[in-house]
Amino acid sequence: DAERRLRGRAVRSSAAEVEELSAREMSVLRLLGSELSIAEIGDELYISRNTVKTHVRTIYRKLDADTRAAAVSKARELRLL
């Protein structure tokens, strides 16, 4: 089960299943927990700021979050981080 989480597979929360996060979304999610800006995350991952924003929106939708802090908190609760 831990191996599935590491690959970004869907995991079960207490009430609902979370949609699978892609490998790139997992990379962005890990950096959302830092104090890096969106532009800095893009620089770190060699992707554009707009691509980071797209991944962040998808992460928020999949984790049912509306802020960076909420997304990181939910990811920790689900043991994705």
Side-chain angles (χ1 to χ4, degrees):
D1 193 32
E3 187 176 38
R4 289 184 72 206
R5 285 193 297 270
L6 289 174
R7 288 190 316 234
R9 300 282 181 204
V11 296
R12 290 199 177 270
S13 67
S14 57
E17 191 168 297
V18 173
E19 189 176 341
E20 178 180 338
L21 293 174
S22 70
R24 184 55 96 180
E25 289 163 352
M26 287 298 298
S27 297
V28 171
L29 178 60
R30 283 184 200 95
L31 294 174
L32 283 179
S34 71
E35 294 192 16
L36 294 177
S37 69
I38 295 296
E40 291 168 331
I41 291 173
D43 290 345
E44 184 76 20
L45 298 175
Y46 301 101
I47 59 178
S48 75
R49 187 177 66 177
N50 285 336
T51 300
V52 175
K53 287 181 178 181
T54 298
H55 287 310
V56 169
R57 280 193 301 272
T58 304
I59 290 165
Y60 286 3
R61 179 182 54 77
K62 290 180 177 182
L63 295 180
D64 193 27
D66 54 4
T67 65
R68 283 174 78 147
V72 170
S73 175
K74 179 74 176 237
R76 286 185 178 139
E77 175 185 316
L78 295 171
R79 297 178 187 226
L80 295 173
L81 292 178

